[in-house]
Amino acid sequence: MTDRPAWNSRELTVGELSARSGVAVSALHFYEREGLIDARRTSGNQRRYRRDTLRRVALIRIAQRVGIPLADIRDALARLPEGRTPTARDWTRLSEGWRDELDQRIHRLQQLRDDFNGCIGCGCLSLERCALANPHDEYGRHGDGPRRLLES
């Protein structure tokens, strides 16, 4: 295991950043290729990350965990002045921008949790309950798939 970097170290190697952030080296390389983080190269072509990249990686991981697509994360981070690491105020602004999407996702998940065992909202009329929830296959007129869940 890589030694923990000194608390006052201004730059981290990729191994140190990986160990401290809990993110695999390959994922850090991927984040860099995708423009989510950046590193300078030493004369020996080794990556060196500013220490504040830890906060940026944490934000990326948290946003990914709640299902924010990497493209949206990259766009949000790119709006920061000079590509800097988000402050608490920036995080508030970024998270408020994702709030509606997250609320919709929560609603869909709750609906799926509550309705999944009785009906998947497909309009197929294959379950006894569908005749009550979807008389005359009304949802089928809106298109294929689980219309009731997709449209709510």
Side-chain angles (χ1 to χ4, degrees):
M1 182 171 140
T2 305
D3 291 335
R4 292 180 68 103
W7 67 269
N8 60 351
S9 175
R10 293 178 54 93
E11 290 187 321
L12 306 172
T13 66
V14 70
E16 291 170 334
L17 182 60
S18 173
R20 182 63 181 90
S21 67
V23 175
V25 169
S26 59
L28 294 171
H29 290 170
F30 175 76
Y31 290 167
E32 189 176 346
R33 280 192 310 274
E34 293 297 311
L36 296 162
I37 61 175
D38 60 341
R40 77 170 182 87
R41 297 294 182 132
T42 66
S43 59
N45 202 30
Q46 296 175 330
R47 291 174 168 90
R48 293 292 185 266
Y49 297 92
R50 289 186 353 220
R51 187 171 186 82
D52 61 6
T53 303
L54 280 168
R55 185 179 305 151
R56 201 171 178 94
V57 170
L59 185 147
I60 294 165
R61 299 248 349 245
I62 291 166
Q64 280 186 297
R65 187 171 185 170
V66 298
I68 308 280
L70 279 179
D72 292 349
I73 298 168
R74 180 180 43 249
D75 292 345
L77 291 173
R79 288 193 297 268
L80 295 175
E82 301 171 13
R84 67 176 165 71
T85 297
T87 63
R89 177 177 283 159
D90 293 327
W91 174 245
T92 298
R93 190 170 31 90
L94 292 174
S95 63
E96 285 173 356
W98 292 325
R99 181 176 291 277
D100 286 342
E101 180 184 338
L102 292 174
D103 286 343
Q104 290 173 16
R105 186 173 296 137
I106 290 167
H107 172 74
R108 289 190 303 268
L109 288 170
Q110 288 173 331
Q111 189 178 31
L112 180 62
R113 177 199 64 206
D114 296 343
D115 292 345
F116 192 68
N117 65 346
C119 178
I120 59 172
C122 65
C124 68
L125 301 176
S126 64
L127 298 175
E128 224 174 86
R129 183 171 170 227
C130 283
L132 298 173
N134 185 21
H136 310 294
D137 194 20
E138 289 294 323
Y139 287 106
R141 294 187 185 128
H142 298 261
D144 296 333
R147 301 316 308 172
R148 203 173 113 248
L149 295 178
L150 290 174
E151 292 175 3
S152 298

